[in-house]
Structures are given as C-alpha cells and as structure tokens.
C-alpha cells in the first residue's frame, strides 16, 4: 500500500523493544527486497462493484494536504482518490504524467530560465463544473510559495522557486522558475482548486472536517466524526476509466485494534508495519495474503532543539550517541523476516539509488563519548542522573497510546539513556492528538514516528530540515537549522543531472547529521495484509496506485 505523498507526510509506525549492539549497515541485504507487491491485475479481470473497507491509524480534521496540519499520510491516502495528482510513480520510483489530468508535461526551455509546459486534459473538471486550468495552478503556486504568511503551508519547496505561471496555447499552462528545479514533477500533486488557494481563510479552514470540491474517480461521501469514517463513492462524472469499486470506506482505528478487525472480516486490508504479533495473526486468517516490499518510508527520533536542554547541540549529540540504533532496529524488526539494518541517511533509504551512510561518529553507539559530551555541556553525573543548578537532566518522550509497541520503544530509549545519566519520562498521548497538540506545537523533547518517502526525496524533505523563520516551522519539528544546510539542499535541488543531484544530496545529508536533530533508525518495512482477491493494492514500495483500478477479482465481492 503506497501511502507516501509528494510532500513528505508523517504517519505512525509500530515498534517493540529488545536490546543489542549498534553500527552502520550497507544496503546489500535490503536490496533483495521486492520493489512492489500489489497483486497487479488487468481491469477486465476485476469485478465492477463492491466496497473496500480501509483502516486508517488516525482521524484527521484537516483535509487540505498542503496546510501544515493536513500534511500527513492518512490525508494523502484519502485524497488520492478524490483530487488531481499530475504524476504517478512506478515501482522504480519513476514519475509519469497521469493522462486524466495532463496529456503531457515537459521542460520546454532551460535558458534563460527553466520553463515547464503542462498540456491539460480538456475533459478534466472539478465537481462544481469548472474546468481544471491555469487559475488553479497559479493560485496554488502563490499560496505555497511562502510569500504570504497567512497561508499556513507545510512545504514551500519547489513552489518558492516559481517565478510566474502563465497561460499558454489552448489547454496549456506554462510555469517559469527563477532558478533550475530538478524535481518539478513533484509539484501540483495534489492540485487544489483556485477557490481554496486564492484565500488564506479558505486554505486554512475550508477543508476542516469537509471535502468541498473533488476531481477524481471518486467523489466525497460522508465524513462521520462519531464513527470516525470517511466514505468516498464512485463519481459518475469522472471522465476517465470508471472506478471498479462502488465506494471506499476509510475507518480510523487504533493500530492495536486493526488485527482483530482484519481477522473478523471488518476491514479488507491492514498495514502491519513492524507489529510481529499482527503479522502472525494476519497470516492465520483464511485466504489472507501478505504483501512485502522495500519502500521509501523510514523511522526516526526527532529531538526538539527549541527546548531548554536540547537547544545545546552537545546534549543532542550525546543523546544520539547514547541510543543504540541497532538495538531499536532489531526490536522493531524482530520476527518480521526483514533485514535488521540501521539507516545512515536522511534523504535516501537503504534500497534507493544514491544511498550512502553519512552518519559518521554520530551513527555509532558510544555511551562513553556521550558522557564526555554531557560533562562538557555542564551536566556532571550525580548519582543516577546528571544535574546542574539543582535540576536533573530529564527529557519528555511523547508516544501515541494507540500504537502497539510505541511505549516499549520509549522504554528501550529510556533504559539506554539512563546508562549515560539522562532521565526519560514517557508521556502517552491519544493517537489523534499526537501531531496537532504535541508535535506541531513543540510540546515534546523526543518523539518517534515515520516519514513517508517519495520519488523526490530531497524536495519532499527540504521543509523538514530547512531553518525555521520565526513561528513558521513548516515540517521542521526539531525547530532549528542552518543557512549552510539550506544552501546545500538548494544546490542539490537545482542540479538537473541525476548523478550530480545525488552527490549534492549526500553533501547536504552530512550537514544534517552534524546538526544532530533527527536520528534515523531504519527503513520501515512495507508489510500489508489483504483479503484474498483484492487487486492492485498492497505493498507498493515506491509505486502509487490508480484508485480507479483497485477492486476485487471473483464473485465474492463485499
């Protein structure tokens, strides 16, 4: 099941606890993982009709994916069936134009400025009857540029490089960049209507608990805030190949409840993640199919550098050195049949072209070095913990209460950091509140979740590591950065030669490691259980599904 949006989004991943030794790893073993496993099936073999029951790990209120509170995986999963995505990645992570929206999209000029020309499908329309066109592109480019702080955007990468959007010949939109932008294919996906992006109030609040306008194979049905379900129905006005399914019902439930719901036939698929117990239970369900793929998603720990203790980079580096990443990776991946490898990069995962382990000294487990850094930072060890000025060095590790194993992951981190004299207080919070009430406002010291990767790793992640400006953190939940990191990322983003872009991306990654704010743990497994007969959906890896082609084979259709 491909859940990674074009702009990186955060979702919860599962972890369990154990203990071991640490170090960096090469990508060789993980390179043998399948690129995609989705039961690919021709449309003429798929039954027309039926309801797909799809569980989600949380129930968001914000359905504007580009708004800071909406930029998460669950929103992406739902709106992919409702809104225009101009590009769709294949199993190799190569993006291709989606013909229902764009007939072609290409760089038509590179000098004096880069120009991309989109030739739109003339049949493409919003559900309110308006044609999809120039105004939608121009409004979204302005709203996401970062030039107007009233738009609370999640990511400005790419859009801030746009100099102007113009009408071309009939059905054409021309986008001119003020400097080269290699990942232009990442833009305008999803595309929102001009009515959303023309007005900051509509952008920030117009999609709260509602899906007002659509343009996809499905149309918005009911959002039930009591049952925590979102229903989307086949859209008879869709101009492309009609959706095979009658509807999809997305249902939010704690990850701990998903295995029982799948075993009881209440849902048709389940993201197993790293829950070995869920894997064993799903494998025992008659007719269940287990899909596995090496995907772009990765688990990490984010340190809040705006806090009074972690604002000191020496303390952040000590925390990283005091955490045995291989122990956490082994605990999270135990009994899954998945390679136990730590991740040494913030932009590329182990199986991806361009991957290099840039962790250096910070990637190793070295409690002695951690202790020396804490001494240097003025936190001498006094008995069990370190203290100065009458206060103990203590960090709040916020964990989502509804995710199996998350508390155990916190417990493992607590045990490891206690060895170097750092006290960790674990704070369970409701899963639905994790981002809105804790991560985004900065009410934490340490938090663990997974970033969802895409075919555009640097463009997707620039907002995660870009230096914040005032209160505008975008997705930089660590709340710190440097001009050197920003410049390095921009050089990589502007490199049109892929080999050069990968080299420059790794240069940027080495600077991110030095800042010591995000500690990569491991490439997250894509392990998905589905009901027998579910076609064109499963563990997609880098590939992204065409929702109109999802359905069931045979006559046993729910």
């Amino acid at each position: 099941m491909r859940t990674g949006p074009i702009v990186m989004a955060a979702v919860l991943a599962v972890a369990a606890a154990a203990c071991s030794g640490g170090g960096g790893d090469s990508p060789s073993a993980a390179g043998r993982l399948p690129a995609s496993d989705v039961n690919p099936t021709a449309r003429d073999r798929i039954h027309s009709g039926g309801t797909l029951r799809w569980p989600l790990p949380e129930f968001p209120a914000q359905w504007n994916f580009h708004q800071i509170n909406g930029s998460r995986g669950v929103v992406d999963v739902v709106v992919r069936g409702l809104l225009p995505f101009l590009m769709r990645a294949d199993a190799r992570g190569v993006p291709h134009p989606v013909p229902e929206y764009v007939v072609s999209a290409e760089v038509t000029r590179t000098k004096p400025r880069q120009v991309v020309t989109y030739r739109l499908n003339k049949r493409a329309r919003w559900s309110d009857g308006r044609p999809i066109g120039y105004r939608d592109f121009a409004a979204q480019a302005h709203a996401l540029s970062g030039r107007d702080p009233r738009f609370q955007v999640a990511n400005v990468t790419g859009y801030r490089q746009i100099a102007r959007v113009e009408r071309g010949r009939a059905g054409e939109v021309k986008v001119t960049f003020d400097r080269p932008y290699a990942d232009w294919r990442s833009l305008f996906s999803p595309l929102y209507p001009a009515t959303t992006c023309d007005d900051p109030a509509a952008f920030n609040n117009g999609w709260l608990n509602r899906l007002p306008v659509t343009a996809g194979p499905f149309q918005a049905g009911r959002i039930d805030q009591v049952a925590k379900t979102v229903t989307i129905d086949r859209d008879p006005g869709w101009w492309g190949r009609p959706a095979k399914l009658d509807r999809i019902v997305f249902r939010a439930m704690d990850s701990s409840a998903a295995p029982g719901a799948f075993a009881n036939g209440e849902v048709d698929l389940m993201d197993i993640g790293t829950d070995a117990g869920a894997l064993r239970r799903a494998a025992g369900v008659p007719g269940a199919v287990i899909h596995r793929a090496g995907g772009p998603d990765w688990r990490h720990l984010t340190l809040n550098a705006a806090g009074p203790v972690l604002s000191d980079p020496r303390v952040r580096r000590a925390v990283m050195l005091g955490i045995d990443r291989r122990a956490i990776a082994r605990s999270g991946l135990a009994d899954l049949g998945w390679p136990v490898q730590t991740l040494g990069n913030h932009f590329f995962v182990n199986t991806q072209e361009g991957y290099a382990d840039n962790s250096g000294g910070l990637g190793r487990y070295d409690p002695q070095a951690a202790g020396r850094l804490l001494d240097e930072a003025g936190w001498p060890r006094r008995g069990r913990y370190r203290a100065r000025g009458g206060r103990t060095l203590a960090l709040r590790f916020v964990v989502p209460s509804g995710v199996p194993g998350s508390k155990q992951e916190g417990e493992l981190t607590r045990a490891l950091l206690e060895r170097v004299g750092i006290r960790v207080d674990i704070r369970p919070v409701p899963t639905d509140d994790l981002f809105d009430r804790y991560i985004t406002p900065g009410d934490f010291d340490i938090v663990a979740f997974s970033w969802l990767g895409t075919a555009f790793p640097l463009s997707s992640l620039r907002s995660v590591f870009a230096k914040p400006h005032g209160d505008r953190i975008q997705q930089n939940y660590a709340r710190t950065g440097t001009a050197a990191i920003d410049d390095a990322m921009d050089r990589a983003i502007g490199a049109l030669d892929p080999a050069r872009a990968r080299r420059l991306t790794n240069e940027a990654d080495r600077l991110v490691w030095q800042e010591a704010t995000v500690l990569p743990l491991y490439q997250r497994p894509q392990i998905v259980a589905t009901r027998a007969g579910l076609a064109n959906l499963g563990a997609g890896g880098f590939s992204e599904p065409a929702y109109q082609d999802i359905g069931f084979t045979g006559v046993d259709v729910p």
Side-chain angles (χ1 to χ4, degrees):
M1 175 179 54
R2 177 73 183 101
T3 57
I6 298 300
V7 181
M8 199 68 66
V11 294
L12 309 174
V14 180
C19 199
S20 174
D25 297 276
S26 72
S28 56
R32 294 192 293 268
L33 295 168
S36 181
D37 181 7
V38 296
N39 186 23
T41 308
R43 283 176 57 88
D44 60 6
R45 293 183 52 213
I46 300 175
H47 183 87
S48 292
T51 298
L52 175 64
R53 299 160 300 174
W54 191 330
L56 300 176
E58 57 176 320
F59 190 70
Q62 176 61 264
W63 293 100
N64 178 356
F65 178 74
H66 299 303
Q67 206 270 350
I68 189 169
N69 291 323
S71 187
R72 56 187 69 178
V74 291
V75 175
D76 175 76
V77 166
V78 175
V79 302
R80 275 187 181 273
L82 298 170
L83 292 175
F85 280 73
L86 304 193
M87 299 284 168
R88 184 179 297 129
D90 62 21
R92 296 181 296 121
V94 177
H96 302 277
V98 177
E100 290 86 355
Y101 301 112
V102 288
V103 177
S104 64
E106 57 187 345
V107 176
T108 52
R109 194 171 70 208
T110 57
K111 294 181 179 179
R113 290 183 173 183
Q114 177 183 342
V115 176
V116 173
T117 300
Y118 298 87
R119 190 153 61 93
L120 306 184
N121 186 324
K122 295 179 181 179
R123 300 177 63 195
R125 294 184 175 273
W126 298 104
S127 56
D128 60 10
R130 294 181 305 103
I132 294 174
Y134 154 79
R135 279 197 59 230
D136 305 305
F137 283 73
Q140 183 155 313
H142 172 72
L144 301 187
S145 69
R147 298 183 184 101
D148 187 339
R150 295 177 300 169
F151 292 93
Q152 299 169 5
V153 300
N155 192 342
V156 301
T157 305
Y159 295 97
R160 70 190 184 98
Q161 281 94 327
I162 293 175
R164 61 181 179 271
V165 178
E166 301 171 291
R167 289 186 177 92
R169 293 180 296 180
E172 286 186 350
V173 176
K174 292 183 178 293
V175 179
T176 301
F177 295 84
D178 59 14
R179 56 186 182 275
Y181 183 58
D183 284 350
W184 59 268
R185 294 176 182 84
S186 69
L187 302 177
F188 305 108
S189 295
L191 180 68
Y192 280 76
T195 51
T196 291
C197 296
D198 276 339
D199 175 44
F203 183 90
N204 295 326
N205 303 315
W207 291 69
L208 284 172
N209 299 309
R210 59 195 296 260
L211 296 158
V213 184
T214 61
F218 291 86
Q219 60 187 352
R222 183 185 180 194
I223 298 178
D224 188 332
Q225 297 185 50
V226 176
K228 293 190 175 183
T229 60
V230 179
T231 301
I232 63 176
D233 303 308
R234 182 194 292 128
D235 188 348
W238 168 245
W239 55 94
R241 296 171 300 180
K244 285 292 184 177
L245 292 165
D246 289 329
R247 67 190 55 83
I248 302 175
V249 178
F250 299 97
R251 174 184 165 194
M253 61 176 63
D254 284 347
S255 298
S256 59
F262 182 75
N264 295 333
E266 299 170 24
V267 295
D268 299 306
L269 71 160
M270 175 180 62
D271 184 353
I272 289 170
T274 56
D275 190 340
L279 176 60
R280 288 190 296 271
R281 188 165 185 184
V285 174
V289 180
I290 307 297
H291 304 267
R292 301 171 184 263
D297 313 337
W298 52 285
R299 188 148 181 90
H300 72 282
L301 299 177
T302 284
L303 309 182
N304 184 359
V309 175
L310 292 177
S311 61
D312 188 333
R314 295 170 297 184
V315 178
R316 296 199 301 270
R317 293 181 185 123
V319 169
M320 288 189 172
L321 290 168
I323 292 175
D324 188 340
R325 296 189 303 139
R326 190 167 180 83
I328 295 179
R330 181 171 295 176
S331 71
L333 302 174
D335 302 320
L336 294 173
W338 196 269
V340 177
Q341 297 178 203
T342 54
L343 181 65
N345 202 296
H346 296 86
F347 299 103
F348 299 112
V349 293
N350 304 73
T351 57
Q352 197 169 6
E353 186 175 8
Y355 175 81
D357 186 343
N358 297 317
S359 59
L362 285 176
R364 73 183 191 275
Y365 174 50
D366 192 338
Q368 288 76 28
R372 289 193 295 271
L373 278 171
L374 292 172
D375 289 339
E376 180 184 323
W379 290 92
R381 188 149 190 161
R382 296 173 182 170
R384 189 174 185 180
Y385 297 114
R386 293 179 179 270
R388 72 176 181 192
R391 62 191 182 106
T392 298
L393 198 167
L395 301 175
R396 297 163 299 157
F397 194 136
V398 173
V399 300
S401 58
V403 179
S406 60
K407 184 178 180 181
Q408 291 91 328
E409 183 179 51
E411 294 283 2
L412 177 55
T413 301
R414 176 162 65 184
L416 289 166
L417 291 181
E418 189 176 77
R419 297 176 186 176
V420 299
I422 298 175
R423 194 183 87 201
V424 175
D425 298 325
I426 298 173
R427 185 178 183 183
V429 302
T431 302
D432 287 349
D433 293 342
L434 180 65
F435 282 90
D436 293 346
R437 297 191 179 184
Y438 295 93
I439 296 179
T440 300
D443 188 11
F444 71 95
D445 293 308
I446 307 176
V447 68
F449 59 92
S450 291
W451 284 116
L452 297 189
T454 75
F456 312 98
L458 185 57
S459 292
S460 300
L461 283 161
R462 188 191 185 283
S463 64
V464 175
F465 303 110
K467 186 176 181 179
H469 295 283
D471 293 333
R472 297 178 62 189
I473 65 165
Q474 294 181 38
Q475 291 176 300
N476 185 341
Y477 300 125
R479 288 170 162 74
T480 192
T482 68
I485 292 174
D486 290 358
D487 291 344
M489 291 191 295
D490 288 342
R491 286 194 298 272
I493 287 171
L496 299 180
D497 176 67
R500 182 169 182 265
R502 289 191 290 270
R503 177 177 61 79
L504 292 173
T505 299
N506 278 302
E507 289 182 9
D509 182 55
R510 285 188 281 273
L511 294 176
V512 172
W513 272 105
Q514 292 173 21
E515 190 66 7
T517 55
V518 175
L519 181 64
L521 298 174
Y522 53 84
Q523 180 181 9
R524 185 175 182 258
Q526 283 198 358
I527 306 177
V528 178
T530 68
R531 172 180 169 168
L534 180 59
N536 297 320
L537 194 64
F542 280 90
S543 69
E544 296 162 341
Y547 275 45
Q548 63 267 34
D549 295 341
I550 299 171
F552 295 93
T553 59
V555 296
D556 184 20
V557 177

